[in-house]
Amino acid sequence: MSGVLGTQAYLRYFDHPVSTRQGAITCAMPAGSLVGALASSFIADKFSRKVAIQVSGLIWIVGSILQAASQHVSQLIVGRIVSGFAIGIASSVVPIYQSEIAPKEIRGRMISLQQWAITWGILIQYFIQYGSSFVGGGPQNLSQDTAAFRIPWGLQIIPAVILVIGLFFFPKSPRWLGAQDRWEEAIQVLADLHGHGDMNHPKVLAEYQEIEEALSFEREHAVSSLKVYYIVYIMQGAGIRDQLLTASIQYIINVALTVPAILFLDKWGRRPSLLYGSLGMMVCLLVNGTLQGRYGQANTPATKNFQNSEATWVIHGQPKVSRAVVAFSYLFVATFAVTWGPTSWTYPAEIFPSKVRAKAVSLATASNWGWNCVLAFAVPPLLWYINWKMYLIFAAFNLAAFAHMYVAAPETKGKTLEEMDEVFDSGRPAWRPALKGSRLDQLEKDIEAGHLKVNAPTRR
């Protein structure tokens, strides 16, 4: 969305939306995502994780068509709600699917790839929007053609088509198959994933045994993105001339700095990422808010120009301060990309039991999109009315996140999905180091040594 906010085609065609009007347009997508996330568990549990992701792709295509063909604000909002519904399903189910097919040793890395794919998608789409902004005489041309925003919105259809078709060549989750009592298919998938097709491989049999025991136990005990959205506005307030180009750097940072998390999340763990990430982002927000509060001023007719006309608070005649605001905005994005970006998808997807995993992750993802919706709607009026004080509010939220994670988020790296109940029910405080090793490793050794006999299910 941010790539079209500064174009005259968008501003003219939709009657210069600002404050709550622009907030409503932007928050329509996370609002749809909230509903999609809540609905995702029913699709994923009934039809499989794989089919749920394909359904999300088809819905995304419909939403993209509605956006690209928008004739007025209401149609644009409807299109963004439909697309958001697709995002809600996909963002809930993809981490579950990844966690259920990945080996425990690289599970964090595999789920982090989702965040990396998201950052690549944001980056590519932003530069498509940036390139399209030069259609019809450029973003400052008052008579710019609407193709400047219709082209990027229409091109969104292409990755959805690739996703829907590509998933036909992927397996169903072995844990979902086991939950449907389709054990022959489940162990074949496990063999293909972890045993080079050998159903009698010790690792395959050990994982099959652990999954079967966990599912049996559950049945027996059963009781019946602030800176991404509005970076252009931040650059306007900082007095940056070319906001679209300067804003693009944050998307490159987001892509590049997600790579260390992919490579090392399974080594340094989930807990350090959550704790240090909260503190780092809090510091960046405090510095940004302090700089803008100390050196900024109300945007009066004397300071208002063509570049900052939508801002109510600006830093004027202070180039060093403006560069510092931009630098700490970039540092905020970098901190998020290395820490909370990938970990916020990984952690919820791995901590819940199989019976409620899809429902629990859908609630976690719905919470994420719910707050995204609040932010998308609230940030324009907050920037409009309280300006730099908004950063202090968000800094306080990060401090609260740090405190919560310190007392409630134990380390999960190196554990299988079936061991998570032990991690959380052990009685060990979250801040104490977790016990090393995994039960799966010992099972594999016992099977390999002949101390434990596990028979693979045979096809009837």
Side-chain angles (χ1 to χ4, degrees):
M1 192 76 207
S2 60
V4 301
L5 290 180
T7 63
Q8 287 301 314
Y10 174 82
L11 294 172
R12 185 192 72 255
Y13 196 80
F14 295 110
D15 196 23
H16 291 265
V18 294
S19 191
T20 53
R21 185 179 176 88
Q22 180 57 54
I25 294 172
T26 308
C27 84
M29 188 168 286
S33 300
L34 167 62
V35 179
L38 291 172
S40 65
S41 64
F42 302 101
I43 304 172
D45 283 339
K46 185 173 181 60
F47 301 105
S48 83
R49 287 47 166 143
K50 179 176 128 174
V51 170
I53 300 170
Q54 290 178 304
V55 168
S56 73
L58 295 174
I59 296 173
W60 175 265
I61 292 171
V62 174
S64 298
I65 293 172
L66 289 172
Q67 289 178 72
S70 291
Q71 300 299 307
H72 39 71
V73 169
S74 57
Q75 183 180 346
L76 176 59
I77 289 175
V78 170
R80 287 179 60 79
I81 289 173
V82 173
S83 293
F85 189 82
I87 293 174
I89 296 172
S91 59
S92 294
V93 180
V94 168
I96 298 171
Y97 182 65
Q98 291 171 312
S99 71
E100 292 184 344
I101 66 174
K104 63 179 178 59
E105 294 84 3
I106 60 168
R107 187 175 62 242
R109 186 183 308 172
M110 293 301 298
I111 302 176
S112 297
L113 285 172
Q114 160 158 310
Q115 177 63 16
W116 199 41
I118 290 171
T119 62
W120 270 109
I122 293 171
L123 175 66
I124 293 169
Q125 176 67 351
Y126 184 86
F127 276 106
I128 290 174
Q129 291 175 341
Y130 180 69
S132 300
S133 72
F134 293 98
V135 171
Q140 307 307 329
N141 184 0
L142 295 177
S143 59
Q144 186 181 31
D145 191 79
T146 60
F149 60 80
R150 297 192 192 280
I151 290 172
W153 291 348
L155 289 176
Q156 297 177 131
I157 295 171
I158 296 173
V161 172
I162 296 172
L163 176 68
V164 172
I165 296 174
L167 276 170
F168 283 110
F169 302 96
F170 279 68
K172 287 186 169 69
S173 161
R175 288 169 172 83
W176 180 83
L177 288 168
Q180 313 303 311
D181 286 325
R182 293 161 61 175
W183 288 107
E184 297 85 355
E185 296 173 68
I187 198 167
Q188 184 60 62
V189 172
L190 288 172
D192 293 338
L193 290 172
H194 310 311
H196 305 290
D198 180 9
M199 289 194 293
N200 293 305
H201 190 285
K203 185 171 185 177
V204 173
L205 293 174
E207 192 161 5
Y208 159 72
Q209 173 84 356
E210 195 170 42
I211 294 171
E212 187 180 42
E213 287 178 357
L215 288 174
S216 298
F217 179 85
E218 289 174 13
R219 286 168 179 168
E220 290 169 8
H221 292 77
V223 180
S224 312
S225 277
L226 164 66
K227 294 215 180 239
V228 171
Y229 287 139
Y230 297 116
I231 187 71
V232 171
Y233 291 166
I234 295 170
M235 297 305 171
Q236 286 179 359
I240 302 301
R241 289 179 178 273
D242 192 342
Q243 298 108 21
L244 287 175
L245 183 59
T246 308
S248 70
I249 298 174
Q250 74 150 354
Y251 299 106
I252 299 172
I253 292 172
N254 205 12
V255 170
L257 270 296
T258 303
V259 175
I262 294 172
L263 297 176
F264 301 114
L265 184 60
D266 287 308
K267 294 183 179 179
W268 67 46
R270 287 58 158 154
R271 184 173 167 82
S273 295
L274 296 170
L275 295 178
Y276 295 135
S278 298
L279 289 178
M281 289 187 290
M282 179 188 72
V283 170
C284 293
L285 290 166
L286 284 174
V287 172
N288 251 345
T290 302
L291 288 174
Q292 295 197 37
R294 174 68 178 81
Y295 297 101
Q297 63 185 76
N299 195 11
T300 63
T303 57
K304 190 169 289 189
N305 56 44
F306 193 76
Q307 276 87 20
N308 67 13
S309 59
E310 306 296 332
T312 59
W313 189 266
V314 296
I315 297 173
H316 184 70
Q318 299 277 354
K320 291 184 178 178
V321 178
S322 295
R323 287 194 290 270
V325 169
V326 173
F328 275 94
S329 295
Y330 291 160
L331 189 57
F332 175 93
V333 173
T335 305
F336 175 81
V338 176
T339 59
W340 273 79
T343 312
S344 62
W345 296 112
T346 302
Y347 204 68
E350 64 186 7
I351 63 176
F352 296 106
S354 179
K355 182 177 178 62
V356 298
R357 186 173 298 128
K359 295 180 179 65
V361 175
S362 76
L363 288 174
T365 308
S367 174
N368 169 54
W369 289 116
W371 285 108
N372 265 272
C373 181
V374 171
L375 287 175
F377 183 79
V379 166
L382 285 175
L383 284 172
W384 191 270
Y385 293 112
I386 67 172
N387 318 120
W388 59 272
K389 302 179 187 72
M390 179 192 72
Y391 294 93
L392 307 184
I393 294 173
F394 293 143
F397 286 151
N398 276 274
L399 179 60
F402 171 83
H404 175 70
M405 292 302 164
Y406 184 81
V407 300
E411 185 55 71
T412 58
K413 71 171 183 178
K415 303 294 183 182
T416 66
L417 298 182
E418 287 68 37
E419 291 177 286
M420 292 302 165
D421 282 350
E422 295 178 16
V423 172
F424 283 87
D425 293 342
S426 65
R428 295 174 66 86
W431 56 86
R432 289 187 61 186
L435 296 175
K436 294 184 178 180
S438 168
R439 186 175 63 234
L440 180 66
D441 297 330
Q442 187 58 48
L443 269 174
E444 185 179 351
K445 290 177 182 177
D446 290 343
I447 293 171
E448 198 166 11
H451 300 150
L452 178 65
K453 181 69 173 175
V454 178
N455 296 316
T458 55
R459 293 186 181 275
R460 296 184 180 86

